[in-house]
Amino acid sequence: MVKRAVKYGLVAAAAAAMLVGPAGFATAAGTGTMHIVEGKTVTLPPSPGNGYAGDAAASATCPAGEVLTGGGAEVKAGNSYVQRYNLAASRPIGNETWWAYATNSDPNNPGTLQAFAVCAKVTNLDVVHTP
């Protein structure tokens, strides 16, 4: 059982390595059918105090004719301790948008939040019918 898990884990890692090469994320097998959409980088404001955190939301949306296949987000700390900046949510919204929400408990330094959507072109596939 362990050998099988290791085998499939290595296959998954090899597949991921094909998509994320030394130059970053590549299109699926060079076909241009899959790509990353980078959302706008938004400011994650400092905490206003009184126990409240600064917060921000960001999103990335696939262009028309493409569907969302995954996504993620990145929070960058300001000039402070990284523990004060938290990604609180990162999830799909509908079939085309990846949404992220983050908080900042630092009272002095803002950070940034950016969402990413993994999008794929919708193609027409022939359906094979068996006799």
Side-chain angles (χ1 to χ4, degrees):
M1 188 67 144
V2 173
K3 287 182 183 179
R4 182 181 292 171
V6 170
K7 178 181 176 183
Y8 291 123
L10 292 175
V11 170
M18 287 187 284
L19 291 176
V20 184
F25 191 86
T27 59
T31 63
T33 58
M34 193 162 103
H35 63 98
I36 300 286
V37 173
E38 296 182 7
K40 179 182 171 188
T41 300
V42 298
T43 299
L44 185 53
S47 168
N50 297 326
Y52 294 101
D55 63 346
S59 64
T61 301
C62 296
E66 297 185 19
V67 294
L68 181 71
T69 61
E74 178 181 42
V75 175
K76 289 186 181 176
N79 216 7
S80 181
Y81 297 101
V82 71
Q83 299 89 336
R84 295 181 177 178
Y85 303 83
N86 296 299
L87 180 61
S90 178
R91 62 182 304 267
I93 301 291
N95 295 327
E96 299 170 351
T97 302
W98 195 269
W99 178 83
Y101 174 78
T103 61
N104 176 7
S105 63
D106 185 320
N108 301 312
N109 299 293
T112 61
L113 171 63
Q114 186 176 19
F116 302 89
V118 180
C119 305
K121 290 182 182 176
V122 177
T123 60
N124 292 328
L125 299 176
D126 292 329
V127 178
V128 178
H129 297 280
T130 57

PDB file of all heavy atoms in Angstrom, residues 55-69:
ATOM      1  N   ASP A  55      -8.790  44.738   6.782  1.00  0.00           N
ATOM      2  CA  ASP A  55      -9.154  43.618   5.919  1.00  0.00           C
ATOM      3  C   ASP A  55      -9.325  44.077   4.477  1.00  0.00           C
ATOM      4  O   ASP A  55      -9.509  45.259   4.204  1.00  0.00           O
ATOM      5  CB  ASP A  55     -10.410  42.908   6.416  1.00  0.00           C
ATOM      6  CG  ASP A  55     -11.647  43.799   6.409  1.00  0.00           C
ATOM      7  OD1 ASP A  55     -11.515  45.027   6.267  1.00  0.00           O
ATOM      8  OD2 ASP A  55     -12.755  43.257   6.548  1.00  0.00           O
ATOM      9  N   ALA A  56      -9.221  43.120   3.570  1.00  0.00           N
ATOM     10  CA  ALA A  56      -9.383  43.398   2.146  1.00  0.00           C
ATOM     11  C   ALA A  56      -9.809  42.130   1.433  1.00  0.00           C
ATOM     12  O   ALA A  56      -9.571  41.016   1.910  1.00  0.00           O
ATOM     13  CB  ALA A  56      -8.073  43.919   1.559  1.00  0.00           C
ATOM     14  N   ALA A  57     -10.442  42.311   0.289  1.00  0.00           N
ATOM     15  CA  ALA A  57     -10.835  41.197  -0.569  1.00  0.00           C
ATOM     16  C   ALA A  57     -10.263  41.443  -1.956  1.00  0.00           C
ATOM     17  O   ALA A  57     -10.095  42.593  -2.386  1.00  0.00           O
ATOM     18  CB  ALA A  57     -12.350  41.071  -0.638  1.00  0.00           C
ATOM     19  N   ALA A  58      -9.931  40.360  -2.650  1.00  0.00           N
ATOM     20  CA  ALA A  58      -9.400  40.447  -4.013  1.00  0.00           C
ATOM     21  C   ALA A  58     -10.010  39.332  -4.843  1.00  0.00           C
ATOM     22  O   ALA A  58     -10.467  38.320  -4.300  1.00  0.00           O
ATOM     23  CB  ALA A  58      -7.872  40.323  -3.991  1.00  0.00           C
ATOM     24  N   SER A  59     -10.017  39.507  -6.156  1.00  0.00           N
ATOM     25  CA  SER A  59     -10.541  38.457  -7.029  1.00  0.00           C
ATOM     26  C   SER A  59      -9.801  38.448  -8.359  1.00  0.00           C
ATOM     27  O   SER A  59      -9.162  39.427  -8.733  1.00  0.00           O
ATOM     28  CB  SER A  59     -12.044  38.660  -7.272  1.00  0.00           C
ATOM     29  OG  SER A  59     -12.268  39.872  -7.960  1.00  0.00           O
ATOM     30  N   ALA A  60      -9.906  37.316  -9.027  1.00  0.00           N
ATOM     31  CA  ALA A  60      -9.372  37.140 -10.376  1.00  0.00           C
ATOM     32  C   ALA A  60     -10.446  36.413 -11.169  1.00  0.00           C
ATOM     33  O   ALA A  60     -11.000  35.418 -10.694  1.00  0.00           O
ATOM     34  CB  ALA A  60      -8.081  36.339 -10.354  1.00  0.00           C
ATOM     35  N   THR A  61     -10.763  36.907 -12.359  1.00  0.00           N
ATOM     36  CA  THR A  61     -11.856  36.356 -13.156  1.00  0.00           C
ATOM     37  C   THR A  61     -11.355  35.884 -14.510  1.00  0.00           C
ATOM     38  O   THR A  61     -10.589  36.586 -15.185  1.00  0.00           O
ATOM     39  CB  THR A  61     -12.960  37.415 -13.345  1.00  0.00           C
ATOM     40  OG1 THR A  61     -13.425  37.816 -12.054  1.00  0.00           O
ATOM     41  CG2 THR A  61     -14.126  36.871 -14.142  1.00  0.00           C
ATOM     42  N   CYS A  62     -11.812  34.708 -14.900  1.00  0.00           N
ATOM     43  CA  CYS A  62     -11.459  34.156 -16.203  1.00  0.00           C
ATOM     44  C   CYS A  62     -12.158  34.949 -17.303  1.00  0.00           C
ATOM     45  O   CYS A  62     -13.285  35.414 -17.129  1.00  0.00           O
ATOM     46  CB  CYS A  62     -11.897  32.697 -16.301  1.00  0.00           C
ATOM     47  SG  CYS A  62     -11.046  31.606 -15.145  1.00  0.00           S
ATOM     48  N   PRO A  63     -11.501  35.106 -18.460  1.00  0.00           N
ATOM     49  CA  PRO A  63     -12.132  35.797 -19.586  1.00  0.00           C
ATOM     50  C   PRO A  63     -13.322  35.000 -20.130  1.00  0.00           C
ATOM     51  O   PRO A  63     -13.448  33.800 -19.869  1.00  0.00           O
ATOM     52  CB  PRO A  63     -11.026  35.876 -20.631  1.00  0.00           C
ATOM     53  CG  PRO A  63      -9.778  35.402 -19.996  1.00  0.00           C
ATOM     54  CD  PRO A  63     -10.131  34.697 -18.746  1.00  0.00           C
ATOM     55  N   ALA A  64     -14.146  35.666 -20.906  1.00  0.00           N
ATOM     56  CA  ALA A  64     -15.296  35.013 -21.540  1.00  0.00           C
ATOM     57  C   ALA A  64     -14.817  33.831 -22.369  1.00  0.00           C
ATOM     58  O   ALA A  64     -13.770  33.896 -23.012  1.00  0.00           O
ATOM     59  CB  ALA A  64     -16.047  36.010 -22.414  1.00  0.00           C
ATOM     60  N   GLY A  65     -15.570  32.740 -22.337  1.00  0.00           N
ATOM     61  CA  GLY A  65     -15.216  31.544 -23.088  1.00  0.00           C
ATOM     62  C   GLY A  65     -14.266  30.620 -22.361  1.00  0.00           C
ATOM     63  O   GLY A  65     -13.826  29.628 -22.907  1.00  0.00           O
ATOM     64  N   GLU A  66     -13.919  30.974 -21.114  1.00  0.00           N
ATOM     65  CA  GLU A  66     -13.037  30.140 -20.309  1.00  0.00           C
ATOM     66  C   GLU A  66     -13.704  29.822 -18.981  1.00  0.00           C
ATOM     67  O   GLU A  66     -14.566  30.563 -18.516  1.00  0.00           O
ATOM     68  CB  GLU A  66     -11.695  30.840 -20.069  1.00  0.00           C
ATOM     69  CG  GLU A  66     -10.935  31.078 -21.363  1.00  0.00           C
ATOM     70  CD  GLU A  66      -9.548  31.658 -21.134  1.00  0.00           C
ATOM     71  OE1 GLU A  66      -9.028  31.551 -20.009  1.00  0.00           O
ATOM     72  OE2 GLU A  66      -8.986  32.206 -22.090  1.00  0.00           O
ATOM     73  N   VAL A  67     -13.307  28.698 -18.395  1.00  0.00           N
ATOM     74  CA  VAL A  67     -13.867  28.284 -17.116  1.00  0.00           C
ATOM     75  C   VAL A  67     -12.768  28.218 -16.066  1.00  0.00           C
ATOM     76  O   VAL A  67     -11.598  28.000 -16.369  1.00  0.00           O
ATOM     77  CB  VAL A  67     -14.580  26.911 -17.209  1.00  0.00           C
ATOM     78  CG1 VAL A  67     -15.802  26.999 -18.089  1.00  0.00           C
ATOM     79  CG2 VAL A  67     -13.638  25.835 -17.690  1.00  0.00           C
ATOM     80  N   LEU A  68     -13.176  28.401 -14.839  1.00  0.00           N
ATOM     81  CA  LEU A  68     -12.272  28.338 -13.703  1.00  0.00           C
ATOM     82  C   LEU A  68     -11.989  26.882 -13.362  1.00  0.00           C
ATOM     83  O   LEU A  68     -12.905  26.081 -13.203  1.00  0.00           O
ATOM     84  CB  LEU A  68     -12.937  29.035 -12.510  1.00  0.00           C
ATOM     85  CG  LEU A  68     -12.155  29.098 -11.219  1.00  0.00           C
ATOM     86  CD1 LEU A  68     -10.985  30.072 -11.365  1.00  0.00           C
ATOM     87  CD2 LEU A  68     -13.055  29.568 -10.088  1.00  0.00           C
ATOM     88  N   THR A  69     -10.710  26.524 -13.259  1.00  0.00           N
ATOM     89  CA  THR A  69     -10.345  25.158 -12.883  1.00  0.00           C
ATOM     90  C   THR A  69      -9.632  25.110 -11.541  1.00  0.00           C
ATOM     91  O   THR A  69      -9.389  24.045 -11.010  1.00  0.00           O
ATOM     92  CB  THR A  69      -9.438  24.512 -13.953  1.00  0.00           C
ATOM     93  OG1 THR A  69      -8.233  25.270 -14.063  1.00  0.00           O
ATOM     94  CG2 THR A  69     -10.143  24.451 -15.293  1.00  0.00           C
TER      95      THR A  69
END
